Amino acid sequence: MLAKDRARTLRRWADLMIDHVDDLALLLTSEQGKPLAESRAEIVYAASFLEWFGEEAKRVYGDTIPSPWPDKRIVVTKEPVGVTGGITPWNFPMAIPAWKTLPALLAGNAVILKPASDTPLLALKLANLLHEAGLPGGVLNVITGPGVVLGDALVSHKGVNMISLTGSTEVGRHVAEICGRDLRRCTLELGGKNAVIVLEDADLDLAVESVSWGAFGTTGQRCTATSRVIVHKAIQHAFTDRLVAAAEKLQIGNGLDEKVDMGPLVNRGRVHAVHQYTQVGQQEGAKLLTGGTPLNNGDYSQGAFYKPTVFTDVSPDMRIAREEVFGPFVSILPVASYEEAVQVANATEYGLSTSIFTNDLRTTFRAMREIESGLIYFNAPTTGAEIHMPFGGVKASGNGHRELGTHAVEEFSETKSIFVSYPPKHK
Ligand code: UN1
């Protein structure tokens, strides 16, 4: 398609998503569990990607470079990679399929999308709406089923030129191994053990509100979720008391009930996995301040509910300070200085998102340099990606690629360097 036609299709797609926001949100909550307000926000968020990429679709530029040699020009063009495979998780069943599919389409590729088997419906809806918006048949294809069968088939298929995965670091290593063998390009967006650093001069109310949302929003099921709080000892107790109070105030229940703040985990297996970390924390000698139990009584018996859980006196070598829990679970690590906070923040194999609460200019600029993390926030939660910003992590949180924004289009493109010589005619 011509760039202007691609742009028009993507913009129509965005409008269709907004027209259907309530139906889509209802489906999302019914399938995934997050509260309706979060589901609506996710649809609007996904539609904003479509809108942004719809505008961007007209701006696929190349370069023309003068050569050091006379009578020669160099032209650099961007071309599609070919067929790309997207594998997406169940925590954002609409937003992540959108953010993987869009740059791939924009760069001119065909896409085969494999959504998580717990949440296939939104990806199917996304594809329906895109076809309604005018995408030709066969350009976006959705396949549904278990990852162990379909994921491996997709990742190792000789007709697939590139794989883009959002998932756990364990699955990422497996996908990278297969792609490595076949020299297939793969972009990986993996786990995190994201820290919020709360320093002595922090605005405590803001820090508590941000940690509560970062740790318990989406029931803690985000790669960017806050799972560690590294707090200066001088304000440790004031901060901890307020965080525990905020956690205990959250209304937990069926996401279809508009009064609910935190929905269930995605399935019962996840309740078991989170609860194991509570047991690990207790065995390791950390102090459980609140939560630490599944909710099973009454209406809760129908679902996969877990209480927001806060541990304190956690030390950096404990498993609950190092391993991704992916649930409403946060570990507090007290420190005595900014330097120690940075050392503790960097002491994990992950490096996705870190947030620092301070109003000190020197600390701010030092932290920008010293924190090992693909995303750094100041005075804000560890969550909240923005469409125009490169998104991704360092260390075991990824393999060096970045999603979203114009960077993402580059990831889904091949670069062709063309040398054109036009010497004078030989006699
Ligand atoms: C965000 O918190 O800003 O799987 C979005 C995930 C991420 C999206 C996070 N890919 O949680």
Side-chain angles (χ1 to χ4, degrees):
M1 289 170 85
L2 295 173
K4 74 174 175 40
D5 297 329
R6 277 186 213 161
R8 192 171 316 121
T9 306
L10 296 181
R11 283 202 313 274
R12 257 193 241 129
W13 190 14
D15 291 344
L16 284 170
M17 294 266 281
I18 295 298
D19 290 349
H20 289 85
V21 63
D22 288 329
D23 309 344
L24 293 170
L26 189 63
L27 188 65
L28 205 165
T29 294
S30 309
E31 189 183 48
Q32 199 274 349
K34 64 179 71 175
L36 271 176
E38 278 193 47
S39 292
R40 271 192 220 103
E42 181 176 340
I43 309 296
V44 173
Y45 188 43
S48 76
F49 301 164
L50 310 186
E51 196 187 0
W52 192 87
F53 277 111
E55 288 161 5
E56 209 53 28
K58 296 180 198 155
R59 302 188 194 99
V60 183
Y61 303 134
D63 296 313
T64 311
I65 302 166
S67 163
W69 305 102
D71 304 325
K72 192 171 179 186
R73 271 280 170 171
I74 297 166
V75 180
V76 182
T77 62
K78 295 286 174 197
E79 302 202 352
V81 174
V83 176
T84 67
I87 303 179
T88 55
W90 42 257
N91 58 344
F92 285 93
M94 187 56 121
I96 298 182
W99 97 17
K100 284 211 186 292
T101 302
L102 277 157
L105 293 178
L106 204 144
N109 300 286
V111 178
I112 302 174
L113 178 64
K114 164 40 201 119
S117 39
D118 271 325
T119 56
L121 295 180
L122 274 295
L124 290 166
K125 281 280 179 199
L126 189 87
N128 285 343
L129 293 178
L130 182 53
H131 285 113
E132 209 180 301
L135 189 82
V139 178
L140 171 63
N141 311 274
V142 183
I143 54 173
T144 62
V148 279
V149 183
L150 282 189
D152 276 21
L154 182 64
V155 169
S156 56
H157 197 288
K158 299 278 184 277
V160 175
N161 306 94
M162 172 180 168
I163 291 290
S164 178
L165 164 87
T166 295
S168 67
T169 294
E170 189 192 348
V171 172
R173 286 187 210 279
H174 173 70
V175 165
E177 263 176 41
I178 299 174
C179 289
R181 245 183 355 241
D182 290 350
L183 301 180
R184 187 170 296 111
R185 186 188 301 194
C186 80
T187 67
L188 304 173
E189 207 277 276
L190 308 174
K193 189 70 190 171
N194 312 295
V196 167
I197 299 175
V198 187
L199 295 174
E200 273 176 290
D201 69 323
D203 174 337
L204 276 196
D205 288 330
L206 182 66
V208 168
E209 193 184 300
S210 302
V211 169
S212 178
W213 165 246
F216 308 129
T218 326
T219 321
Q221 303 170 116
R222 289 190 187 220
C223 57
T224 51
T226 304
S227 58
R228 298 181 292 157
V229 184
I230 300 166
V231 62
H232 197 286
K233 283 180 177 149
I235 47 156
Q236 176 188 349
H237 296 296
F239 172 84
T240 306
D241 292 349
R242 290 185 215 195
L243 180 65
V244 169
E248 290 176 352
K249 237 180 41 212
L250 293 173
Q251 290 282 331
I252 304 159
N254 185 340
L256 295 174
D257 176 348
E258 296 270 9
K259 291 193 293 296
V260 157
D261 301 309
M262 194 183 98
L265 288 155
V266 75
N267 59 41
R268 289 211 169 97
R270 292 299 313 148
V271 176
H272 181 67
V274 173
H275 193 52
Q276 276 191 329
Y277 274 105
T278 295
Q279 288 160 345
V280 167
Q282 283 170 320
Q283 282 155 17
E284 286 180 314
K287 190 165 152 203
L288 178 64
L289 294 177
T290 186
T293 51
L295 286 159
N296 293 321
N297 298 334
D299 286 349
Y300 291 127
S301 67
Q302 303 299 312
F305 295 96
Y306 203 82
K307 278 195 184 168
T309 299
V310 181
F311 271 98
T312 192
D313 296 341
V314 177
S315 57
D317 54 323
M318 292 182 184
R319 281 180 60 198
I320 62 165
R322 291 184 290 114
E323 296 177 18
E324 185 174 42
V325 177
F326 224 69
F329 188 108
V330 70
S331 298
I332 298 180
L333 296 97
V335 292
S337 63
Y338 160 79
E339 285 75 14
E340 190 186 349
V342 171
Q343 200 183 19
V344 170
N346 290 342
T348 78
E349 66 164 331
Y350 297 107
L352 184 56
S353 182
T354 307
S355 154
I356 300 119
F357 283 79
T358 183
N359 290 301
D360 184 81
L361 194 61
R362 184 169 151 70
T363 307
T364 302
F365 278 86
R366 281 186 65 186
M368 283 186 202
R369 195 180 59 220
E370 291 168 355
I371 296 289
E372 296 168 359
S373 192
L375 310 164
I376 304 183
Y377 291 90
F378 287 89
N379 303 312
T382 51
T383 59
E386 292 186 26
I387 179 66
H388 46 279
M389 296 288 284
F391 180 93
V394 301
K395 304 199 285 190
S397 292
N399 63 342
H401 294 274
R402 291 292 179 268
E403 304 194 291
L404 302 184
T406 46
H407 291 73
V409 184
E410 299 269 318
E411 302 287 5
F412 286 94
S413 303
E414 289 287 9
T415 301
K416 194 176 264 179
S417 300
I418 304 165
F419 304 83
V420 183
S421 294
Y422 48 100
K425 209 169 173 181
H426 285 292
K427 290 262 159 54

